[in-house]
Structures are given as C-alpha cells and as structure tokens.
Amino acid sequence: MKKSTSVSLLVFFLLIPATLFLGTKLPGRSYYITSTLIILQMLLPFFLAFEGRKPQARELVVIAVMCGISIVSRVAIPIPHFKPTFAMIMLSGIAFGPEAGFMVGAVTAFGSNFFVGQGAYTPWQMMAYGAGGLLSGFLSQKGWLSRKPIYLAIFGFLSVLLWVGPLLDLCSLFLMPIGFSKKAIIAVFASGLPANLMQAGCTAAVMLLVSRPLLERLDRIKLKYGMLENHDKL
Amino acid sequence: MKDTFSSYHPAVNFLFFVGAVGCGVVFLHPAYLAVSILCGLSYYLFLGKTKSAKAFLLMLPVVLILAAVNPLFNTQGSTVLFWLFGKPYTLEALLYGGAVSGVLLTMLLWFGCYNYVLTGDKFTSLFGNWIPSVSLLLVMVLRMVPNLIQKTKQIAGARKSLGKGNEGKLKEGLAVVGALVSWALEGGVVTADSMRARGYGTAKRQSFLIYRMERRDWWLLAVEIILITAVIVSACLGQVNAEYTPEVSLAPVSWGAVFYGIYLLIPLALNGKEAILWHILRFKI
C-alpha cells in the first residue's frame, strides 16, 4: 500500500474519530478546536498524496500559475463578494483535473490570506475552495460537464450557491458563537445567502465570458508542451 | 520600534500563537477572557499602532452586535429583562453572548498579531522540510502575485500605446487577462524546464534556513511549554469552568489565570526588557 494511502486511512479511521471523542470529553466550547482540527485532518491526506506523488516541476509550476491568477483575482478586485476567484479555480480543475483543482483551490485560499489576513477560517476556506476545484475537475473528467460556456455558467452558479458557499457558511456556524439551535443554523445560512448569490452571479458571468478563451489557451499550452497527461514524462 | 518577539525563531513564535489562540477560543471564564483580550489588544496596538487601532474600532461593533443578538436565539436564562416578539430576552443569555463575543474578539486580536509576526517566509521556512512540494508551491505563488499585478499593468500599457482598447472595457479586460494567462503559463513552463535542468526532483531538497534555534530560543520555548502546561492543568482542574445559562455560576479565579496572564504577556515583556536594557546601556554611556 502506498504511504499516502495508509496515512489517509489512518486519518479517517483513527485520527478523526479520536479527535471527535476527545472533543466531546473536553469541557466548555472546545468544538471550536475540534472542528478546526478535523478540517485540518481532512486536508492532510490531499496534501500528503500530493507530496507522495513527488510532483514534477511542470506540474508544480502550472498549479502555481493558476493559484497566482486566482489570488490576484481575489486580492486585486476591490468589490467584496464579487470575485472571479471561484471561476478561476473551477476552470483550473476542468483543465487540469480534480487533484490539480483541489490544490489550486486550497493553496489559493491559504496564499491569498497572506494578503488579506489569516484567521481561524483559513482551514475552512482551504477546504471549501479546494472542494470547488475538486468537484468541477471530477465532473469534467467523467465527461458529465460540458465545456460550453452556458453550461459552465449554470454549473458555476449552482456550485457556488449550493456547494462552496454553504461550506464557507459552515465555518461561520462553527466559529461564530451562536450555538447550534435550528434557528441559529437557519440564521447563519440565510445571512450567507446574499453574499453567496452575488458570488454565484459573478462566477456565472465570468464563466460565460472567460471560460471559452481561457480553456482554449490552457488546452493550447497543454498540447504544446504535452503537459499533465502522463505523470512519468512530465 | 521593532518587535523583539518577532526576532525569535519561527517555531517559538508559532507555538506561542497556537497556545494563545487555542486557549483563547476555548476559555469562556470572564477573568481569562479579560486577560486574553487585554494582552492581545496591547500587543496588537504595539505591533500596528494606528492601523491596529482602526482595525480594532471596526471589530468592536461586530462583537457588540453579536453579543446583543445572542438572546434572540438563546432563550434560556432565569432573569428576563424584557419580552421581544413574544420571546424572553434574558440577562444570562446576554452575558453568555458577551462571553462568546469576547472569544471572537480574542481570536481576531491574536490572529491580527499572528499576521504581523509570522510572515509567509517564516511559515514556509518552518514547514519547508515536512511538506517540501507544498511549501515550494507556496513560495512560488507568493512571489507570483506581485509579479502578475505588475505584468497586468505592463500589458494594459502596451495595448494602450498600440492604440488598442477602445472597444469597451469588458473586451479590453478579457484581452489583458488572456494575454496574462498565456504569458504566465509559458513563462512557467520555461521555469519548470530550467528547474529540471538544474536537477529538481533528483535528490532530497535542501532548504535555505535563515533561522536557527539559539540559546534564548530554547529558553523561551521551555518557558512557553511550562506556562501553557500549567494553564492546561488548571483548566483540567476546572478553574476555567463557567456556566451562563440557566444561571450564572463561575469558578473562583485562581493561580491558573495568573499563569495564563504571564504566558500571554511574553511578547510584550520581551519588548519591555529590551527597552529597559537599552535605557540602562545608554545611561552607562
């Protein structure tokens, strides 16, 4: 068994249950720490798999470039909740596969927080952004996601509204001190809805306008240099 | 004035913040909260001066609103202040809201300090050996961001001087983004080939370490570990227990809070020590 696989199994079947168990034993509001630890532990297998694969220079650099562009689109555009970042992450996933999509998402969240400020929300953002890239990459790899801009726009809108956005709201639910009553949960998701809608709209607009030229360019680069097709020859 | 604590080894800094944020997030006892908020605020103001003061004034309303909102969701508590929408608004729930907003405030303050002390280069040097590929990725990305912003300006300028860009902002923006992506990826491939030619991936990566554990770092590390252990022991003994609803019951303040205060004062104390030493040395001249 590969080292990264065994570590993943260890994390999911031992570390996370142990954390959950200890979390229930600790006094007070330790679920702050428990939840953040679990998110970190869930990120761990992805990063270890990436390390274990010993990524080649080209793969690293391409992921770095996509991260750089996503971060710039988050940091340089001054309108809050209206950033092309998610669209960029999803397009990376579509062009380079689910693993690359996850890495681009997670590193974008972490890296951009060096510019806008790290916080307890950083692991949650890494998870949510990464999940966005993972989903688009997975669906595209399976051939379930058409590359026509209009379908990509619909996909972008829905996935931000129903997948990435709620994952980010989950963070406020766990880190904001209002408890877990049914009302509090509804309140958190309802208060996140306008921001998610704006973000979803922005993602759809970017997908509609940019997806075709951008994917063409990414494909051209892939074709020109024969990248990310087989991992041995990179 | 330069921060003395930042000049210590990143591992020492990182451990301090793990302790400060970890405890700050869990402890709901008002004494512990007050200690953490006071220490965090003074260190934050020391690090950022007016910038921190402005940020703190922005945090305050959020925290206060959150405290006031809590009784709307949480109707437990025995002392009813007034009725709102047919629901009781209780004193205990308000106090509880205040305590948990305090937790949020400590988190914001300590993470504010973290952002000043543990910069990107320190983080990568700290974790570079454990996750070499990911930290290399991070270094490349952090370098790329200012680079890309600069290149965007260059592309836009070049297009302008060619007489292009009169067909509307949207089209122009798309052209610039497209050129930027192509340039960055092609440049990236050249970088990658150059890395390969120099033997990337053929051996274990060494990292350039600018930080070394000196004697003072080991000492501070030991002090941190002793203090945080004492705080955790006191927490396990129930000294931080605080119940707010349905009735307020607090554990009496004991030695745990003192250790907690000393721990959180470490960065400021180091700065104070430095300032005093400096004065003495100057006095001798």
Coordinates of all heavy atoms in Angstrom, one line a residue, chain A residues 29 32-33 47 50-51 55 57-58 60-61 63-65 67-69 71-72 103 107 110-111 114-115 117-120 175-177 183-184 187 209-210 214 217-218 220-221 224-225 227 234, chain B residues 22 25-26 28 66 70 72-73 87 96 100 103 107 111 115 120 123 131-134 136-138 140-142 144-145 148 170 174 178-179 181-182 184-186 188-189 192-193 195-196 200:
Chain A
R29 N -16.4 25.1 25.3 CA -16.7 25.2 23.9 C -15.6 24.7 23.1 O -15.1 25.4 22.2 CB -17.1 26.6 23.6 CG -18.1 27.2 24.5 CD -18.3 28.6 24.3 NE -18.6 29.0 22.9 CZ -19.8 28.8 22.5 NH1 -20.8 28.4 23.2 NH2 -20.1 29.2 21.2
Y32 N -14.9 24.5 18.9 CA -14.1 25.4 18.1 C -12.8 24.7 17.6 O -12.5 24.6 16.4 CB -13.6 26.6 18.9 CG -14.6 27.7 19.1 CD1 -14.9 28.1 20.4 CD2 -15.1 28.4 18.0 CE1 -15.8 29.1 20.6 CE2 -15.9 29.4 18.2 CZ -16.3 29.8 19.5 OH -17.1 30.8 19.7
I33 N -12.1 24.1 18.6 CA -10.8 23.5 18.3 C -11.1 22.2 17.6 O -10.4 21.8 16.6 CB -10.0 23.3 19.6 CG1 -9.5 24.6 20.1 CG2 -8.9 22.3 19.3 CD1 -8.6 24.6 21.2
F47 N -2.9 16.8 0.8 CA -1.5 17.3 0.7 C -0.5 16.2 0.7 O 0.5 16.2 0.0 CB -1.2 18.3 1.8 CG -1.9 19.6 1.6 CD1 -3.0 20.0 2.3 CD2 -1.4 20.5 0.6 CE1 -3.6 21.2 2.1 CE2 -2.0 21.7 0.4 CZ -3.1 22.1 1.1
F50 N -0.3 14.6 -2.6 CA 0.4 15.5 -3.5 C 1.9 15.3 -3.3 O 2.7 15.2 -4.2 CB 0.0 16.9 -3.2 CG 0.6 17.9 -4.2 CD1 0.2 17.9 -5.5 CD2 1.5 18.8 -3.8 CE1 0.7 18.8 -6.4 CE2 2.0 19.7 -4.7 CZ 1.6 19.7 -6.0
E51 N 2.3 15.3 -2.0 CA 3.7 15.1 -1.7 C 4.2 13.7 -2.1 O 5.3 13.6 -2.7 CB 4.0 15.2 -0.2 CG 3.8 16.6 0.4 CD 4.9 17.6 0.0 OE1 5.9 17.1 -0.6 OE2 4.8 18.8 0.3
P55 N 5.5 15.5 -7.2 CA 5.1 16.3 -8.4 C 6.3 16.8 -9.2 O 7.3 17.3 -8.5 CB 4.2 17.4 -7.9 CG 4.6 17.5 -6.5 CD 5.0 16.2 -6.0
A57 N 8.4 19.3 -11.9 CA 8.5 20.7 -11.9 C 7.4 21.4 -12.7 O 6.8 22.3 -12.3 CB 9.8 21.1 -12.5
R58 N 7.0 20.8 -13.9 CA 6.0 21.4 -14.7 C 4.6 21.5 -14.0 O 3.9 22.5 -14.1 CB 5.9 20.7 -16.1 CG 6.9 21.2 -17.0 CD 6.6 20.6 -18.4 NE 7.6 21.1 -19.3 CZ 7.7 20.7 -20.6 NH1 6.8 19.8 -21.0 NH2 8.6 21.2 -21.4
L60 N 4.0 21.4 -10.8 CA 4.1 22.4 -9.7 C 3.9 23.8 -10.3 O 3.2 24.6 -9.7 CB 5.5 22.3 -9.1 CG 5.7 21.5 -7.8 CD1 7.1 21.5 -7.4 CD2 4.8 22.0 -6.7
V61 N 4.7 24.1 -11.4 CA 4.6 25.5 -11.9 C 3.3 25.8 -12.4 O 2.8 26.9 -12.2 CB 5.8 25.7 -12.9 CG1 5.6 27.0 -13.6 CG2 7.1 25.5 -12.2
I63 N 0.4 24.6 -11.5 CA -0.5 24.8 -10.4 C -0.2 26.2 -9.8 O -1.1 27.0 -9.4 CB -0.4 23.7 -9.4 CG1 -1.0 22.4 -10.0 CG2 -1.2 24.0 -8.1 CD1 -0.8 21.2 -9.1
A64 N 1.1 26.5 -9.6 CA 1.4 27.8 -9.0 C 0.9 29.0 -9.9 O 0.4 29.9 -9.3 CB 3.0 27.9 -8.9
V65 N 1.0 28.8 -11.2 CA 0.5 29.9 -12.0 C -1.0 30.1 -11.9 O -1.5 31.2 -11.7 CB 0.8 29.7 -13.5 CG1 0.0 30.6 -14.4 CG2 2.3 29.8 -13.8
C67 N -2.8 29.3 -9.3 CA -3.0 29.8 -8.0 C -2.7 31.3 -8.0 O -3.5 32.1 -7.5 CB -2.1 29.2 -6.9 SG -2.4 27.6 -6.5
G68 N -1.6 31.7 -8.6 CA -1.3 33.1 -8.7 C -2.4 33.9 -9.3 O -2.8 35.0 -8.8
I69 N -2.9 33.4 -10.4 CA -4.0 34.2 -11.1 C -5.3 34.2 -10.2 O -5.9 35.3 -10.1 CB -4.3 33.5 -12.5 CG1 -3.1 33.8 -13.4 CG2 -5.6 34.1 -13.1 CD1 -3.0 33.0 -14.6
I71 N -5.4 34.1 -7.0 CA -5.1 35.0 -5.8 C -5.2 36.5 -6.3 O -5.9 37.3 -5.6 CB -3.8 34.7 -5.2 CG1 -3.8 33.4 -4.5 CG2 -3.4 35.8 -4.2 CD1 -2.4 33.0 -4.0
V72 N -4.6 36.8 -7.4 CA -4.7 38.1 -7.9 C -6.2 38.5 -8.1 O -6.6 39.6 -7.7 CB -3.9 38.3 -9.2 CG1 -4.2 39.6 -9.9 CG2 -2.4 38.2 -9.0
M103 N -5.8 21.3 -5.3 CA -4.6 22.0 -4.9 C -4.7 23.5 -5.2 O -4.3 24.4 -4.3 CB -3.3 21.5 -5.6 CG -2.9 20.2 -5.0 SD -2.6 20.2 -3.3 CE -1.2 21.2 -3.1
V107 N -4.5 26.1 -2.1 CA -3.4 27.0 -2.0 C -3.8 28.4 -2.2 O -3.3 29.3 -1.6 CB -2.3 26.5 -2.9 CG1 -1.1 27.5 -3.0 CG2 -1.7 25.2 -2.5
F110 N -5.2 29.7 1.1 CA -4.1 29.9 2.0 C -3.2 31.1 1.6 O -2.9 32.0 2.4 CB -3.3 28.6 2.2 CG -2.3 28.7 3.3 CD1 -2.6 29.0 4.6 CD2 -0.9 28.4 3.0 CE1 -1.7 29.0 5.6 CE2 0.0 28.4 4.0 CZ -0.4 28.7 5.3
G111 N -2.8 31.1 0.3 CA -1.9 32.1 -0.1 C -2.6 33.5 -0.1 O -1.9 34.5 0.3
F114 N -2.5 35.4 3.1 CA -1.3 36.2 3.4 C -1.5 37.7 3.1 O -0.8 38.5 3.6 CB -0.1 35.6 2.7 CG 0.5 34.4 3.4 CD1 0.4 33.2 2.9 CD2 1.1 34.5 4.7 CE1 0.9 32.1 3.5 CE2 1.6 33.4 5.3 CZ 1.5 32.2 4.7
F115 N -2.3 37.9 2.1 CA -2.6 39.3 1.7 C -3.7 40.0 2.4 O -3.7 41.1 2.7 CB -2.8 39.4 0.2 CG -1.6 38.9 -0.6 CD1 -1.5 37.6 -1.0 CD2 -0.6 39.8 -0.9 CE1 -0.3 37.2 -1.7 CE2 0.6 39.4 -1.6 CZ 0.7 38.1 -2.0
G117 N -5.2 38.6 5.3 CA -5.2 38.2 6.7 C -5.6 36.8 7.0 O -6.6 36.3 6.5
Q118 N -4.7 36.1 7.7 CA -5.0 34.7 8.1 C -6.0 34.8 9.3 O -6.1 35.7 10.0 CB -3.8 34.0 8.6 CG -2.7 33.9 7.6 CD -2.9 32.8 6.5 OE1 -3.9 32.1 6.6 NE2 -2.0 32.7 5.6
G119 N -6.7 33.7 9.5 CA -7.6 33.6 10.6 C -8.0 32.2 10.9 O -7.5 31.3 10.2
A120 N -8.9 32.0 11.9 CA -9.3 30.6 12.2 C -10.1 30.1 11.0 O -10.2 28.9 10.9 CB -10.1 30.6 13.5
L175 N -17.6 28.8 14.0 CA -16.7 29.7 14.7 C -17.5 30.9 15.3 O -16.9 31.5 16.2 CB -15.7 30.2 13.7 CG -14.7 29.2 13.1 CD1 -13.7 29.8 12.2 CD2 -14.0 28.5 14.2
M176 N -18.7 31.1 14.8 CA -19.5 32.2 15.4 C -20.2 31.7 16.6 O -20.7 30.6 16.6 CB -20.5 32.8 14.4 CG -19.8 33.6 13.4 SD -20.2 35.3 13.7 CE -20.7 35.8 12.1
P177 N -20.2 32.5 17.7 CA -20.7 32.0 18.9 C -22.2 32.1 19.1 O -22.7 32.8 19.9 CB -20.0 32.9 19.9 CG -19.8 34.1 19.2 CD -19.6 33.8 17.8
K183 N -32.8 27.4 14.8 CA -32.9 28.8 14.4 C -31.5 29.4 14.0 O -31.4 30.1 13.0 CB -33.5 29.6 15.5 CG -35.0 29.9 15.4 CD -35.4 30.5 16.7 CE -36.1 31.8 16.5 NZ -36.4 32.4 17.8
A184 N -30.5 29.1 14.8 CA -29.2 29.6 14.6 C -28.7 29.2 13.2 O -28.1 29.9 12.5 CB -28.2 29.2 15.7
A187 N -30.4 30.9 10.5 CA -29.9 32.3 10.5 C -28.6 32.4 9.8 O -28.4 33.3 9.0 CB -29.8 32.9 11.9
L209 N -18.2 34.6 -19.9 CA -17.3 35.5 -20.7 C -15.9 34.8 -21.0 O -15.4 34.9 -22.1 CB -17.2 36.8 -20.0 CG -18.4 37.7 -20.0 CD1 -18.2 38.8 -19.0 CD2 -18.7 38.2 -21.4
V210 N -15.3 34.3 -19.9 CA -13.9 34.0 -20.0 C -13.7 32.5 -20.3 O -12.6 32.2 -20.8 CB -13.2 34.4 -18.6 CG1 -11.8 34.1 -18.7 CG2 -13.5 35.8 -18.3
L214 N -10.3 31.2 -22.1 CA -9.3 30.7 -21.2 C -9.0 29.2 -21.3 O -7.8 28.8 -21.4 CB -9.7 31.0 -19.7 CG -8.6 31.1 -18.7 CD1 -7.8 32.3 -18.9 CD2 -9.2 31.1 -17.3
R217 N -6.8 28.6 -24.3 CA -5.4 28.9 -24.0 C -4.8 27.8 -23.2 O -3.7 27.3 -23.4 CB -5.3 30.2 -23.3 CG -5.3 31.4 -24.2 CD -5.5 32.7 -23.5 NE -6.2 33.6 -24.3 CZ -5.6 34.5 -25.1 NH1 -4.3 34.6 -25.1 NH2 -6.2 35.4 -25.8
L218 N -5.5 27.3 -22.1 CA -4.9 26.3 -21.3 C -4.7 25.0 -22.1 O -3.7 24.3 -22.0 CB -5.9 26.0 -20.1 CG -6.1 27.1 -19.1 CD1 -7.0 26.7 -18.0 CD2 -4.7 27.6 -18.5
R220 N -4.2 24.8 -25.3 CA -3.2 25.0 -26.2 C -1.8 24.8 -25.5 O -0.9 24.1 -26.1 CB -3.2 26.4 -26.8 CG -2.1 26.7 -27.8 CD -2.1 28.1 -28.3 NE -0.8 28.5 -28.6 CZ 0.0 29.1 -27.7 NH1 -0.4 29.4 -26.5 NH2 1.2 29.5 -28.1
I221 N -1.7 25.3 -24.3 CA -0.4 25.1 -23.6 C -0.2 23.7 -23.3 O 0.9 23.1 -23.4 CB -0.5 25.9 -22.2 CG1 -0.7 27.4 -22.5 CG2 0.7 25.6 -21.4 CD1 0.6 28.2 -22.5
K224 N 0.8 22.0 -26.5 CA 2.1 22.5 -27.0 C 3.2 21.8 -26.2 O 4.2 21.4 -26.8 CB 2.2 24.0 -26.8 CG 3.5 24.6 -27.3 CD 3.3 26.2 -27.2 CE 4.7 26.8 -27.5 NZ 4.6 28.3 -27.3
Y225 N 3.1 21.7 -24.9 CA 4.1 21.1 -24.1 C 3.8 19.7 -23.6 O 4.6 19.1 -22.9 CB 4.4 22.0 -22.9 CG 4.9 23.4 -23.2 CD1 4.0 24.5 -23.2 CD2 6.2 23.6 -23.7 CE1 4.5 25.7 -23.5 CE2 6.6 24.8 -24.0 CZ 5.8 25.9 -24.0 OH 6.2 27.1 -24.3
M227 N 1.6 18.5 -21.5 CA 1.6 18.5 -20.0 C 0.5 17.8 -19.4 O -0.6 17.6 -19.9 CB 1.5 20.0 -19.5 CG 2.9 20.6 -19.6 SD 2.8 22.2 -18.7 CE 1.4 22.9 -19.3
L234 N 6.6 14.0 -17.5 CA 6.5 15.5 -17.3 C 7.8 16.2 -17.3 O 8.7 15.7 -16.6 CB 5.7 15.9 -16.1 CG 4.2 15.7 -16.2 CD1 3.6 15.9 -14.8 CD2 3.7 16.7 -17.2
Chain B
G22 N -5.5 28.8 20.8 CA -6.2 27.6 21.3 C -6.9 27.8 22.6 O -8.1 27.5 22.7
V25 N -9.8 30.5 22.4 CA -11.0 30.0 21.8 C -11.9 29.2 22.7 O -13.1 29.1 22.6 CB -10.6 29.3 20.5 CG1 -11.6 28.2 20.1 CG2 -10.5 30.3 19.3
V26 N -11.2 28.5 23.7 CA -12.0 27.5 24.5 C -12.5 28.2 25.8 O -13.6 27.9 26.3 CB -11.1 26.3 24.8 CG1 -11.8 25.4 25.7 CG2 -10.8 25.6 23.5
L28 N -14.1 30.3 28.5 CA -15.3 31.2 28.5 C -15.3 32.0 29.8 O -16.3 32.8 30.0 CB -16.6 30.4 28.3 CG -17.1 30.3 26.9 CD1 -18.4 29.6 26.9 CD2 -17.3 31.7 26.3
L66 N -23.1 41.1 18.0 CA -23.2 39.6 18.2 C -23.6 39.3 19.6 O -24.5 38.4 19.8 CB -21.8 39.0 17.9 CG -21.9 37.6 17.2 CD1 -22.6 37.8 15.9 CD2 -20.5 37.1 17.1
N70 N -27.4 37.4 20.6 CA -27.4 36.1 21.1 C -28.7 35.7 21.9 O -29.3 34.7 21.6 CB -26.2 35.8 22.0 CG -26.2 34.4 22.5 OD1 -26.1 33.5 21.7 ND2 -26.4 34.2 23.8
L72 N -31.6 36.5 21.3 CA -32.7 36.3 20.3 C -32.8 34.8 19.9 O -33.8 34.2 19.6 CB -32.6 37.1 19.1 CG -32.6 38.6 19.3 CD1 -32.4 39.3 18.0 CD2 -33.8 39.1 20.0
F73 N -31.6 34.1 19.9 CA -31.6 32.7 19.5 C -31.6 31.8 20.7 O -32.0 30.7 20.7 CB -30.3 32.4 18.7 CG -30.2 33.1 17.5 CD1 -29.4 34.2 17.3 CD2 -31.0 32.7 16.4 CE1 -29.3 34.9 16.1 CE2 -30.9 33.4 15.2 CZ -30.1 34.5 15.1
K87 N -40.9 36.6 22.9 CA -39.9 35.7 23.5 C -39.1 36.4 24.6 O -38.9 37.6 24.5 CB -38.9 35.3 22.4 CG -39.5 34.4 21.3 CD -38.7 33.2 21.1 CE -39.4 32.1 20.4 NZ -39.0 31.9 19.0
Y96 N -23.9 35.5 28.3 CA -23.3 34.4 27.6 C -22.9 34.9 26.2 O -21.8 34.6 25.7 CB -24.3 33.3 27.4 CG -23.8 32.1 26.6 CD1 -22.8 31.3 27.1 CD2 -24.3 31.8 25.4 CE1 -22.3 30.2 26.4 CE2 -23.8 30.7 24.7 CZ -22.8 30.0 25.2 OH -22.4 28.9 24.5
V100 N -19.1 34.9 24.6 CA -18.7 34.3 23.3 C -18.3 35.3 22.3 O -17.4 35.0 21.5 CB -19.8 33.3 22.7 CG1 -19.8 32.0 23.4 CG2 -21.1 34.0 22.8
V103 N -14.8 35.8 23.1 CA -13.9 34.8 22.4 C -13.6 35.2 21.0 O -12.4 35.1 20.6 CB -14.7 33.4 22.5 CG1 -14.0 32.4 21.5 CG2 -14.7 32.9 23.9
M107 N -9.9 36.0 19.4 CA -9.4 35.3 18.2 C -9.0 36.3 17.1 O -7.9 36.2 16.5 CB -10.6 34.5 17.6 CG -10.2 33.3 16.9 SD -11.5 32.0 16.9 CE -12.7 32.8 16.0
F111 N -5.1 36.7 16.0 CA -4.7 36.4 14.6 C -4.2 37.7 14.0 O -3.4 37.6 13.1 CB -5.9 35.9 13.8 CG -5.9 34.4 13.8 CD1 -6.9 33.6 14.5 CD2 -5.0 33.7 13.1 CE1 -6.9 32.3 14.4 CE2 -4.9 32.3 13.0 CZ -5.9 31.6 13.7
N115 N -0.6 37.8 12.1 CA -0.3 38.2 10.7 C 0.9 39.2 10.7 O 1.6 39.3 9.7 CB -1.5 39.0 10.2 CG -2.5 38.0 9.7 OD1 -2.2 36.9 9.2 ND2 -3.8 38.3 9.9
G120 N 4.8 35.1 5.6 CA 4.9 34.0 4.7 C 6.2 33.2 4.7 O 6.3 32.0 4.7
F123 N 6.6 31.1 7.7 CA 5.8 29.8 7.7 C 6.5 28.8 6.8 O 6.6 27.6 7.2 CB 4.4 30.2 7.2 CG 3.5 29.0 7.2 CD1 2.7 28.7 8.3 CD2 3.4 28.2 6.1 CE1 1.9 27.6 8.3 CE2 2.6 27.1 6.1 CZ 1.8 26.8 7.2
I131 N 6.7 19.4 4.3 CA 5.9 19.4 3.1 C 6.7 20.1 2.0 O 6.3 21.2 1.6 CB 4.5 19.9 3.3 CG1 4.6 21.2 4.2 CG2 3.6 18.9 3.9 CD1 3.3 21.9 4.3
P132 N 7.8 19.6 1.5 CA 8.6 20.3 0.5 C 7.9 20.8 -0.7 O 8.0 22.0 -1.1 CB 9.7 19.4 0.2 CG 9.3 18.0 0.6 CD 8.3 18.2 1.7
S133 N 7.1 19.9 -1.3 CA 6.4 20.4 -2.6 C 5.4 21.5 -2.3 O 5.4 22.5 -3.0 CB 5.7 19.2 -3.2 OG 6.6 18.1 -3.4
V134 N 4.6 21.3 -1.3 CA 3.6 22.3 -1.0 C 4.2 23.6 -0.6 O 3.8 24.7 -1.0 CB 2.6 21.8 0.1 CG1 1.6 22.8 0.4 CG2 1.9 20.5 -0.3
L136 N 7.2 24.7 -1.5 CA 7.8 25.3 -2.7 C 6.7 26.0 -3.5 O 6.8 27.1 -4.0 CB 8.5 24.2 -3.5 CG 9.0 24.7 -4.8 CD1 10.1 25.7 -4.6 CD2 9.6 23.5 -5.6
L137 N 5.5 25.2 -3.6 CA 4.4 25.8 -4.3 C 4.0 27.1 -3.7 O 3.8 28.1 -4.5 CB 3.2 24.8 -4.2 CG 2.0 25.1 -5.0 CD1 2.3 25.0 -6.5 CD2 0.9 24.0 -4.7
L138 N 3.9 27.2 -2.4 CA 3.5 28.4 -1.7 C 4.5 29.5 -2.0 O 4.1 30.7 -2.3 CB 3.4 28.1 -0.2 CG 2.6 29.1 0.6 CD1 1.2 29.1 0.1 CD2 2.7 28.8 2.0
M140 N 6.4 29.9 -4.6 CA 6.3 30.3 -6.0 C 5.0 31.2 -6.1 O 5.1 32.2 -6.8 CB 6.2 29.1 -6.9 CG 7.5 28.4 -7.1 SD 7.5 27.4 -8.6 CE 6.6 26.0 -8.1
V141 N 4.0 30.8 -5.4 CA 2.7 31.5 -5.6 C 2.8 32.9 -5.0 O 2.5 33.9 -5.6 CB 1.6 30.8 -4.9 CG1 0.3 31.6 -4.8 CG2 1.2 29.5 -5.7
L142 N 3.5 33.0 -3.8 CA 3.6 34.3 -3.1 C 4.5 35.3 -3.9 O 4.2 36.5 -4.0 CB 4.1 34.1 -1.7 CG 3.2 33.5 -0.7 CD1 3.9 33.3 0.6 CD2 1.9 34.2 -0.6
M144 N 4.6 35.1 -7.2 CA 4.0 35.3 -8.4 C 2.9 36.5 -8.4 O 2.7 37.2 -9.4 CB 3.3 34.1 -8.9 CG 3.1 33.9 -10.4 SD 2.7 32.3 -10.8 CE 4.2 31.5 -10.8
V145 N 2.3 36.7 -7.2 CA 1.2 37.6 -7.1 C 1.7 39.0 -7.5 O 1.1 39.6 -8.4 CB 0.6 37.5 -5.7 CG1 -0.4 38.7 -5.6 CG2 -0.1 36.2 -5.6
L148 N 2.5 39.2 -11.2 CA 1.3 39.2 -12.1 C 0.7 40.5 -12.1 O 0.3 41.0 -13.2 CB 0.3 38.1 -11.7 CG 0.7 36.7 -11.9 CD1 -0.4 35.8 -11.4 CD2 0.8 36.4 -13.4
L170 N -14.9 45.8 -21.2 CA -15.0 44.4 -21.0 C -14.1 43.6 -21.9 O -13.3 42.8 -21.5 CB -16.5 44.0 -21.2 CG -16.8 42.5 -20.8 CD1 -16.7 42.4 -19.3 CD2 -18.1 42.2 -21.3
L174 N -10.8 41.3 -21.0 CA -10.7 39.9 -21.4 C -9.3 39.7 -22.2 O -8.6 38.7 -22.0 CB -11.8 39.5 -22.4 CG -13.2 39.3 -21.7 CD1 -14.2 38.9 -22.7 CD2 -13.0 38.2 -20.6
G178 N -6.4 37.3 -20.9 CA -5.9 36.2 -21.8 C -4.4 36.2 -22.0 O -3.7 35.2 -21.9
A179 N -3.9 37.5 -22.3 CA -2.5 37.6 -22.6 C -1.7 37.3 -21.3 O -0.7 36.6 -21.3 CB -2.2 39.0 -23.0
V181 N -2.6 35.2 -18.8 CA -2.6 33.7 -18.6 C -1.6 33.1 -19.5 O -0.8 32.2 -19.0 CB -4.0 33.2 -18.8 CG1 -4.0 31.6 -18.7 CG2 -4.9 33.7 -17.7
S182 N -1.6 33.4 -20.8 CA -0.7 32.8 -21.7 C 0.7 33.1 -21.3 O 1.6 32.2 -21.3 CB -0.9 33.3 -23.1 OG -2.0 32.6 -23.7
A184 N 1.9 33.9 -18.4 CA 2.3 33.3 -17.1 C 2.6 31.8 -17.3 O 3.6 31.3 -16.8 CB 1.2 33.5 -16.1
L185 N 1.7 31.1 -18.1 CA 1.9 29.7 -18.2 C 3.1 29.4 -19.1 O 3.9 28.4 -18.7 CB 0.6 29.1 -18.9 CG -0.5 28.8 -17.9 CD1 -1.7 28.4 -18.7 CD2 -0.1 27.8 -16.9
E186 N 3.3 30.1 -20.1 CA 4.5 29.8 -21.0 C 5.8 30.1 -20.1 O 6.8 29.4 -20.2 CB 4.5 30.7 -22.2 CG 3.3 30.4 -23.1 CD 3.6 30.1 -24.5 OE1 4.8 30.3 -24.9 OE2 2.8 29.7 -25.3
G188 N 6.0 29.9 -17.0 CA 6.0 28.9 -16.0 C 6.7 27.6 -16.6 O 7.5 27.0 -15.9
V189 N 6.4 27.3 -17.8 CA 7.0 26.1 -18.4 C 8.5 26.3 -18.6 O 9.3 25.3 -18.3 CB 6.3 25.8 -19.8 CG1 7.1 24.7 -20.5 CG2 4.9 25.4 -19.6
A192 N 9.9 25.7 -15.3 CA 10.0 24.3 -14.9 C 11.1 23.6 -15.6 O 11.8 22.8 -15.0 CB 8.6 23.7 -15.3
D193 N 11.3 23.9 -16.9 CA 12.4 23.2 -17.7 C 13.7 23.6 -17.1 O 14.6 22.8 -16.9 CB 12.3 23.6 -19.1 CG 11.1 23.0 -19.8 OD1 10.5 22.0 -19.2 OD2 10.8 23.4 -20.9
M195 N 14.2 24.4 -14.0 CA 14.3 23.7 -12.7 C 14.8 22.3 -12.9 O 15.7 21.8 -12.2 CB 13.0 23.7 -12.0 CG 12.6 24.9 -11.2 SD 10.9 25.0 -10.8 CE 10.8 23.7 -9.6
R196 N 14.2 21.6 -14.0 CA 14.6 20.3 -14.3 C 16.0 20.2 -14.7 O 16.7 19.2 -14.3 CB 13.7 19.7 -15.4 CG 12.9 18.5 -14.9 CD 12.2 17.9 -16.1 NE 12.9 16.7 -16.5 CZ 12.5 16.0 -17.5 NH1 11.4 16.3 -18.2 NH2 13.2 14.9 -17.9
Y200 N 16.0 19.5 -10.4 CA 14.9 19.4 -9.4 C 14.3 18.0 -9.4 O 14.1 17.4 -10.4 CB 13.8 20.4 -9.8 CG 12.6 20.3 -8.9 CD1 12.6 20.9 -7.7 CD2 11.5 19.6 -9.4 CE1 11.5 20.7 -6.9 CE2 10.4 19.4 -8.6 CZ 10.4 20.0 -7.3 OH 9.3 19.8 -6.5

